[in-house]
Amino acid sequence: MKQALSLIALFAAMPALANETRQLDAHEHGVGELNIAIEGTTVLMEFHAPGADIVGFEYSAKSDSDRAAVEAAEVRLSAPLELFVMPEAATCTVKSAQAELEGEGGHDDHADEGHAEHQEEPTHTEFHAQYMLTCVAPDALTEISFVYFEAFPNAQEVEVQIITASGAKVFEVSRDAPTLALEH
Amino acid sequence: MIFRLAIASLLARTLTVGMTVLAIALSVALFLGVEKVRNGAKSSFADTISGTDLIVGARSGSVQLLLYSVFRIGSATNNLSWESYQDIAARPDVEWIVPISLGDSHRQFRVMGTTTAFFEHYKYRQGRSVKVSEGALMDDVFDTVIGADVAAALVYSVDDSIVVAHGLASFTEHKDQPFRVSGILEKTGTPVDRTVIVSLEAIEAIHVDWQSGAQLPGKATPLDVIREMDLTPQAVTAALVGVESPLQTFALQRAINDYSEEPLLAILPGVALQELWGIVGIAETALLAVSAMVVVTALIGMMATIFSSLNERRREMAIYRAMGARPVTILGMLVLEAVVMAAIGALLGLAFLYIGLAIAQPIVDSTFGLWLPIEMPSMQEVWVILAVVGAGAIVSLVPALRAYRMSVADGMMVKT
């Protein structure tokens, strides 16, 4: 009887458990992700990189120097054409660019501050950036050189996904071969 | 002067030289042919699906989702619920969405339930649509359109009736609900050729009267009643999605991957195809390596003929020396002969390749669905030819150096 009761209790508790969604994005140090979508003269770029690649740490910035490092990184990441250099002939200009640091893992919401037993640190942080460019001659976008690797010495590799009119393609650009050759 | 001598010397030995050139030509044609087939296979593979921006299914791996949704290999871990499907379809950035329902089979072929929108949006080989070669698209719940390979293998024609089996390898068949073949599709070289396509409603319809994988006893529901029933599916296996603008693709992909009600996966077909090719592409590299070895063998064959000709030509060399030719001239002439042989062989090989392509292209296309384009030699092919000529020169240096040394030592003395 007791067993039956505990079984019932277990099943009663299950939907409550099932309602919580737990999912985390994959996170690999040294590897950034760059998504590029091109339509006409508009080029949309999304860039994700682990905090470790950009500033060398992934805890929340504590000291003034940490905070300064994050700010400096955000400024650098807001200038896409200096990190991902495109051919002059394509004549690309930045329409909009945002970069910010996002935490992941741990609960950094303010809501559960009160009853949290210990303030959990985000276990991983990622820099997310989004750029909107206009290129006068998108056909001249034959290569992108990743000065990014010079700017951030911890970064080793960027996985690039490109969507053009001819479909989606994936490339790997690494510190040893920092140029992405595109065919049209 | 040297050049004329070299040519004349080659012409004087037409038969041996001809055989050597032929060997080089065949090996070059083989190498370039393998390269052509490799590129053709790669692009045919990449062209299996085009025009689709995202494929959505249950969360698994991108290659797995691609395999079961496009190649009909393996099966889904989970289905995509109809509610989630509707949610995705209702998003403003979704231009079109085509459901795919798999799980039943007809003989050795998979049955796919979908809507007629599939024929409008599924594209292959850079935007070609799947067309009906005989008959018409399905019109009724119990109509089916079959791929070219299905029709050929099972000798079906329009208006034949076929029975779909429950599951993929089972003896239980949906005998009470036979299908009528309403159309046969053109050969596409894609997995569509090996698919029996029915409407999405049909997949539901054949499972009326079925429960837990078994047919309920008693009288089967008449077909007319089934036609009247609500045949909206509970779930589909996967969905092909087209976006309004390519710029929205990544945002939509992320939204689907982060969809909290159901663990879903959205993949970019091109990216997943590239991943899959990375796995199956090893075999073709091996093939290329083998054909490269054939070229090397032909060049070594050429070296052997030059070596064996040295003895015959000892007197000839001596005469050249007597006429005032320096040993280095002899060396130059032998290398030049080899370069000419290699160059003629390589160009002849290229000619063989184009002749072969012209003959084989339609046959290969209709038999294997492999499109081998006939176009100007690519930069890569030009490099291959130059490499063969260069390798010919290097290989001939070995006998040429020997001739050089002999001609220094021999002078006019003939020691035979």
Side-chain angles (χ1 to χ4, degrees):
Chain A
M1 186 61 199
K2 256 186 192 163
Q3 270 176 340
L5 269 179
S6 58
L7 263 181
I8 290 168
L10 182 67
F11 279 111
M14 270 174 80
L17 285 174
N19 275 337
E20 193 191 344
T21 24
R22 289 176 294 254
Q23 51 183 33
L24 285 173
D25 281 340
H27 179 93
E28 192 181 340
H29 285 188
V31 183
E33 285 166 35
L34 178 67
N35 292 339
I36 305 174
I38 305 174
E39 189 192 31
T41 55
T42 310
V43 177
L44 179 81
M45 292 167 71
E46 293 173 352
F47 181 66
H48 292 192
D53 288 21
I54 305 293
V55 287
F57 59 87
E58 296 206 343
Y59 50 82
S60 3
K62 288 195 189 78
S63 63
D64 283 345
S65 67
D66 288 353
R67 270 187 287 275
V70 169
E71 265 172 41
E74 284 176 352
V75 170
R76 289 205 88 159
L77 287 174
S78 299
L81 290 179
E82 281 162 35
L83 298 175
F84 311 109
V85 180
M86 311 204 177
E88 295 252 328
T91 344
C92 297
T93 45
V94 181
K95 286 280 145 192
S96 73
Q98 298 119 32
E100 56 179 4
L101 182 65
E102 283 178 19
E104 195 172 85
H107 299 271
D108 47 355
D109 320 356
H110 299 289
D112 52 13
E113 248 172 272
H115 56 86
E117 284 172 33
H118 54 97
Q119 195 66 33
E120 271 184 90
E121 277 273 316
T123 47
H124 290 294
T125 56
E126 270 197 355
F127 281 89
H128 288 196
Q130 191 159 32
Y131 316 115
M132 185 75 89
L133 314 180
T134 304
C135 297
V136 179
D139 285 343
L141 270 179
T142 46
E143 60 168 41
I144 301 177
S145 55
F146 282 61
V147 181
Y148 164 75
F149 290 112
E150 285 164 34
F152 302 106
N154 288 335
Q156 297 304 324
E157 195 183 304
V158 176
E159 275 175 19
V160 186
Q161 295 193 94
I162 295 190
I163 299 179
T164 57
S166 59
K169 280 210 177 90
V170 63
F171 298 92
E172 255 176 38
V173 181
S174 66
R175 178 166 287 279
D176 305 327
T179 308
L180 170 64
L182 296 169
E183 310 148 29
H184 281 280
Chain B
M1 178 63 196
I2 294 192
F3 191 74
R4 263 179 47 207
L5 265 178
I7 298 286
S9 151
L10 287 177
L11 284 176
R13 292 171 290 131
T14 322
L15 192 66
T16 20
V17 170
M19 294 317 279
T20 312
V21 166
L22 190 66
I24 294 172
L26 284 176
S27 73
V28 167
L30 179 73
F31 183 82
L32 293 179
V34 165
E35 186 66 9
K36 208 80 175 166
V37 170
R38 202 169 76 101
N39 286 335
K42 189 173 178 178
S43 61
S44 271
F45 187 79
D47 287 345
T48 309
I49 181 165
S50 68
T52 298
D53 295 308
L54 290 171
I55 301 174
V56 181
R59 193 168 300 164
S60 49
S62 52
V63 170
Q64 197 199 357
L65 176 55
L66 182 80
L67 279 177
Y68 70 71
S69 64
V70 176
F71 291 92
R72 329 245 189 275
I73 295 170
S75 34
T77 44
N78 274 308
N79 279 346
L80 165 65
S81 75
W82 190 246
E83 286 87 348
S84 303
Y85 174 83
Q86 292 292 350
D87 272 0
I88 296 166
R91 289 180 59 96
D93 39 5
V94 172
E95 192 192 347
W96 53 264
I97 181 164
V98 176
I100 287 176
S101 210
L102 300 161
D104 283 320
S105 61
H106 175 69
R107 310 285 280 275
Q108 68 268 45
F109 300 103
R110 299 276 182 115
V111 172
M112 178 176 82
T114 185
T115 61
T116 42
F118 176 82
F119 299 100
E120 202 180 308
H121 296 299
Y122 181 88
K123 299 276 165 65
Y124 70 101
R125 209 182 280 173
Q126 286 135 35
R128 282 211 212 177
S129 351
V130 180
K131 288 195 190 69
V132 175
S133 68
E134 273 175 67
L137 291 184
M138 56 259 193
D139 190 26
D140 180 66
V141 174
F142 293 103
D143 274 357
T144 171
V145 171
I146 58 177
D149 287 355
V150 180
L154 304 176
V155 202
Y156 284 152
S157 48
V158 176
D159 283 336
D160 279 359
S161 93
I162 67 172
V163 170
V164 170
H166 188 72
L168 296 177
S170 81
F171 299 108
T172 48
E173 294 190 324
H174 298 286
K175 276 196 181 112
D176 40 335
Q177 293 116 344
F179 283 83
R180 180 184 75 93
V181 175
S182 75
I184 295 169
L185 297 172
E186 273 177 5
K187 178 100 182 167
T188 62
T190 70
V192 172
D193 295 345
R194 298 183 297 278
T195 310
V196 174
I197 301 173
V198 299
S199 69
L200 201 57
E201 291 77 27
I203 296 280
E204 291 300 304
I206 52 178
H207 295 99
V208 168
D209 298 330
W210 285 64
Q211 220 168 54
S212 315
Q215 198 162 10
L216 293 177
K219 212 164 164 260
T221 314
L223 297 190
D224 289 336
V225 178
I226 292 178
R227 285 197 178 92
E228 297 298 312
M229 290 168 77
D230 175 22
L231 295 171
T232 310
Q234 297 257 300
V236 293
T237 311
L240 309 180
V241 176
V243 292
E244 288 284 345
S245 149
L247 301 179
Q248 295 161 327
T249 314
F250 289 118
L252 179 64
Q253 185 187 22
R254 198 164 32 251
I256 294 171
N257 286 341
D258 291 343
Y259 185 75
S260 56
E261 281 90 332
E262 194 178 346
L264 297 179
L265 175 71
I267 58 165
L268 300 165
V271 170
L273 278 167
Q274 249 179 292
E275 262 178 58
L276 187 55
W277 185 256
I279 302 167
V280 300
I282 296 168
E284 39 113 49
T285 313
L287 201 62
L288 194 67
V290 170
S291 56
M293 286 312 292
V294 175
V295 177
V296 172
T297 314
L299 288 173
I300 291 175
M302 179 174 80
M303 182 164 86
T305 41
I306 298 175
F307 258 128
S308 67
S309 72
L310 283 188
N311 269 336
E312 299 165 18
R313 298 173 69 188
R314 223 163 168 167
R315 201 179 292 256
E316 184 190 331
M317 302 292 166
I319 294 170
Y320 290 143
R321 292 280 284 135
M323 306 275 286
R326 281 177 300 150
V328 79
T329 315
I330 307 268
L331 180 127
M333 198 182 75
L334 281 173
V335 172
L336 192 65
E337 282 182 25
V339 166
V340 169
M341 277 196 275
I344 295 174
L347 290 176
L348 199 61
L350 197 66
F352 283 166
L353 174 75
Y354 281 100
I355 295 167
L357 273 181
I359 297 168
Q361 192 188 43
I363 306 165
V364 172
D365 188 28
S366 65
T367 325
F368 303 107
L370 200 65
W371 183 250
L372 305 173
I374 299 180
E375 50 198 11
M376 287 298 288
S378 65
M379 255 340 268
Q380 205 189 351
E381 285 166 332
V382 173
W383 277 117
V384 168
I385 289 172
L386 289 179
V388 168
V389 175
I394 293 168
V395 159
S396 69
L397 268 180
V398 184
L401 279 172
R402 191 182 149 105
Y404 173 87
R405 261 190 278 122
M406 284 194 328
S407 65
V408 176
D410 277 5
M412 285 187 66
M413 274 257 293
V414 179
K415 293 174 186 160
T416 38

Short mmCIF file of all heavy atoms in Angstrom, two decimals, chain A residues 136-159:
data_model
loop_
_atom_site.label_atom_id
_atom_site.label_comp_id
_atom_site.label_asym_id
_atom_site.label_seq_id
_atom_site.Cartn_x
_atom_site.Cartn_y
_atom_site.Cartn_z
N VAL A 136 27.58 47.41 -52.08
CA VAL A 136 27.15 47.92 -53.38
C VAL A 136 27.31 46.84 -54.45
O VAL A 136 26.45 46.65 -55.30
CB VAL A 136 27.95 49.19 -53.75
CG1 VAL A 136 27.52 49.71 -55.11
CG2 VAL A 136 27.76 50.26 -52.68
N ALA A 137 28.42 46.10 -54.37
CA ALA A 137 28.67 45.05 -55.35
C ALA A 137 28.85 43.71 -54.63
O ALA A 137 29.98 43.28 -54.40
CB ALA A 137 29.90 45.38 -56.18
N PRO A 138 27.76 43.06 -54.25
CA PRO A 138 27.88 41.82 -53.49
C PRO A 138 28.61 40.71 -54.26
O PRO A 138 29.18 39.81 -53.66
CB PRO A 138 26.44 41.42 -53.19
CG PRO A 138 25.60 42.21 -54.11
CD PRO A 138 26.35 43.44 -54.47
N ASP A 139 28.62 40.80 -55.60
CA ASP A 139 29.32 39.77 -56.39
C ASP A 139 30.83 39.83 -56.17
O ASP A 139 31.53 38.85 -56.41
CB ASP A 139 29.03 39.95 -57.89
CG ASP A 139 27.63 39.48 -58.21
OD1 ASP A 139 27.05 38.75 -57.37
OD2 ASP A 139 27.11 39.84 -59.28
N ALA A 140 31.30 40.99 -55.73
CA ALA A 140 32.74 41.13 -55.51
C ALA A 140 33.16 40.57 -54.15
O ALA A 140 34.32 40.59 -53.80
CB ALA A 140 33.13 42.61 -55.61
N LEU A 141 32.19 40.05 -53.40
CA LEU A 141 32.50 39.44 -52.10
C LEU A 141 33.09 38.05 -52.33
O LEU A 141 32.45 37.05 -52.12
CB LEU A 141 31.22 39.28 -51.27
CG LEU A 141 30.80 40.42 -50.37
CD1 LEU A 141 29.52 40.08 -49.67
CD2 LEU A 141 31.89 40.70 -49.35
N THR A 142 34.33 38.02 -52.81
CA THR A 142 34.92 36.73 -53.15
C THR A 142 35.69 36.13 -51.99
O THR A 142 35.93 34.94 -51.96
CB THR A 142 35.85 36.86 -54.36
OG1 THR A 142 36.66 38.01 -54.13
CG2 THR A 142 35.06 37.04 -55.63
N GLU A 143 36.10 36.98 -51.05
CA GLU A 143 36.79 36.43 -49.89
C GLU A 143 36.63 37.34 -48.68
O GLU A 143 36.36 38.53 -48.82
CB GLU A 143 38.28 36.19 -50.20
CG GLU A 143 39.02 37.44 -50.58
CD GLU A 143 40.53 37.21 -50.58
OE1 GLU A 143 40.96 36.15 -51.03
OE2 GLU A 143 41.25 38.09 -50.11
N ILE A 144 36.76 36.75 -47.52
CA ILE A 144 36.71 37.51 -46.28
C ILE A 144 37.95 37.12 -45.50
O ILE A 144 38.20 35.93 -45.28
CB ILE A 144 35.44 37.16 -45.47
CG1 ILE A 144 34.19 37.47 -46.30
CG2 ILE A 144 35.42 37.92 -44.16
CD1 ILE A 144 32.90 37.09 -45.62
N SER A 145 38.74 38.10 -45.11
CA SER A 145 39.91 37.71 -44.31
C SER A 145 39.64 38.04 -42.85
O SER A 145 39.13 39.10 -42.51
CB SER A 145 41.19 38.36 -44.83
OG SER A 145 41.03 39.74 -44.90
N PHE A 146 39.94 37.07 -42.03
CA PHE A 146 39.59 37.13 -40.62
C PHE A 146 40.70 37.76 -39.79
O PHE A 146 41.50 37.08 -39.17
CB PHE A 146 39.25 35.72 -40.12
CG PHE A 146 37.88 35.27 -40.52
CD1 PHE A 146 37.53 35.17 -41.85
CD2 PHE A 146 36.93 34.96 -39.55
CE1 PHE A 146 36.27 34.75 -42.23
CE2 PHE A 146 35.66 34.55 -39.93
CZ PHE A 146 35.33 34.45 -41.27
N VAL A 147 40.72 39.09 -39.78
CA VAL A 147 41.66 39.82 -38.93
C VAL A 147 41.28 39.56 -37.46
O VAL A 147 42.06 39.78 -36.55
CB VAL A 147 41.60 41.32 -39.27
CG1 VAL A 147 42.56 42.13 -38.43
CG2 VAL A 147 41.88 41.52 -40.74
N TYR A 148 40.06 39.06 -37.28
CA TYR A 148 39.54 38.65 -35.98
C TYR A 148 40.56 37.85 -35.17
O TYR A 148 40.71 38.06 -33.97
CB TYR A 148 38.28 37.83 -36.25
CG TYR A 148 37.77 36.98 -35.12
CD1 TYR A 148 37.10 37.56 -34.04
CD2 TYR A 148 37.93 35.59 -35.14
CE1 TYR A 148 36.62 36.78 -33.00
CE2 TYR A 148 37.46 34.81 -34.11
CZ TYR A 148 36.81 35.40 -33.04
OH TYR A 148 36.33 34.63 -32.03
N PHE A 149 41.28 36.95 -35.87
CA PHE A 149 42.23 36.10 -35.14
C PHE A 149 43.41 36.92 -34.58
O PHE A 149 44.01 36.54 -33.58
CB PHE A 149 42.77 34.99 -36.05
CG PHE A 149 41.73 33.96 -36.37
CD1 PHE A 149 41.24 33.83 -37.65
CD2 PHE A 149 41.22 33.13 -35.37
CE1 PHE A 149 40.27 32.89 -37.95
CE2 PHE A 149 40.26 32.19 -35.66
CZ PHE A 149 39.77 32.08 -36.94
N GLU A 150 43.74 38.02 -35.28
CA GLU A 150 44.81 38.86 -34.76
C GLU A 150 44.30 39.68 -33.58
O GLU A 150 45.02 39.93 -32.62
CB GLU A 150 45.30 39.82 -35.86
CG GLU A 150 46.16 39.11 -36.87
CD GLU A 150 46.33 39.94 -38.14
OE1 GLU A 150 46.38 41.18 -38.06
OE2 GLU A 150 46.38 39.32 -39.23
N ALA A 151 43.02 40.06 -33.65
CA ALA A 151 42.45 40.90 -32.59
C ALA A 151 42.27 40.12 -31.30
O ALA A 151 42.41 40.66 -30.21
CB ALA A 151 41.11 41.48 -33.06
N PHE A 152 41.91 38.83 -31.43
CA PHE A 152 41.64 38.03 -30.23
C PHE A 152 42.53 36.79 -30.23
O PHE A 152 42.20 35.79 -30.88
CB PHE A 152 40.16 37.65 -30.18
CG PHE A 152 39.24 38.84 -30.19
CD1 PHE A 152 38.53 39.18 -31.32
CD2 PHE A 152 39.13 39.65 -29.07
CE1 PHE A 152 37.70 40.29 -31.34
CE2 PHE A 152 38.32 40.77 -29.07
CZ PHE A 152 37.60 41.09 -30.22
N PRO A 153 43.63 36.84 -29.52
CA PRO A 153 44.61 35.74 -29.59
C PRO A 153 44.12 34.40 -29.07
O PRO A 153 44.72 33.36 -29.38
CB PRO A 153 45.79 36.25 -28.76
CG PRO A 153 45.35 37.50 -28.10
CD PRO A 153 44.08 37.95 -28.69
N ASN A 154 43.03 34.37 -28.30
CA ASN A 154 42.54 33.07 -27.81
C ASN A 154 41.66 32.34 -28.82
O ASN A 154 41.39 31.16 -28.66
CB ASN A 154 41.73 33.26 -26.52
CG ASN A 154 42.62 33.60 -25.35
OD1 ASN A 154 43.80 33.27 -25.36
ND2 ASN A 154 42.07 34.27 -24.37
N ALA A 155 41.19 33.07 -29.81
CA ALA A 155 40.30 32.45 -30.79
C ALA A 155 41.10 31.56 -31.72
O ALA A 155 42.19 31.93 -32.16
CB ALA A 155 39.58 33.53 -31.59
N GLN A 156 40.60 30.36 -31.99
CA GLN A 156 41.33 29.40 -32.83
C GLN A 156 40.63 29.14 -34.15
O GLN A 156 41.26 28.86 -35.15
CB GLN A 156 41.48 28.05 -32.09
CG GLN A 156 42.29 28.14 -30.82
CD GLN A 156 43.68 28.72 -31.06
OE1 GLN A 156 44.31 28.48 -32.08
NE2 GLN A 156 44.16 29.52 -30.11
N GLU A 157 39.32 29.19 -34.12
CA GLU A 157 38.57 28.71 -35.29
C GLU A 157 37.22 29.42 -35.35
O GLU A 157 36.65 29.76 -34.31
CB GLU A 157 38.35 27.22 -35.10
CG GLU A 157 37.92 26.48 -36.33
CD GLU A 157 37.67 25.00 -36.03
OE1 GLU A 157 38.59 24.35 -35.52
OE2 GLU A 157 36.56 24.55 -36.28
N VAL A 158 36.71 29.61 -36.54
CA VAL A 158 35.35 30.13 -36.70
C VAL A 158 34.63 29.24 -37.69
O VAL A 158 35.16 28.93 -38.76
CB VAL A 158 35.32 31.59 -37.19
CG1 VAL A 158 33.90 32.05 -37.42
CG2 VAL A 158 35.99 32.51 -36.18
N GLU A 159 33.46 28.78 -37.30
CA GLU A 159 32.65 28.01 -38.24
C GLU A 159 31.71 28.97 -38.94
O GLU A 159 30.95 29.68 -38.29
CB GLU A 159 31.84 26.95 -37.49
CG GLU A 159 32.66 25.71 -37.27
CD GLU A 159 31.96 24.68 -36.43
OE1 GLU A 159 30.72 24.74 -36.30
OE2 GLU A 159 32.67 23.81 -35.89
#
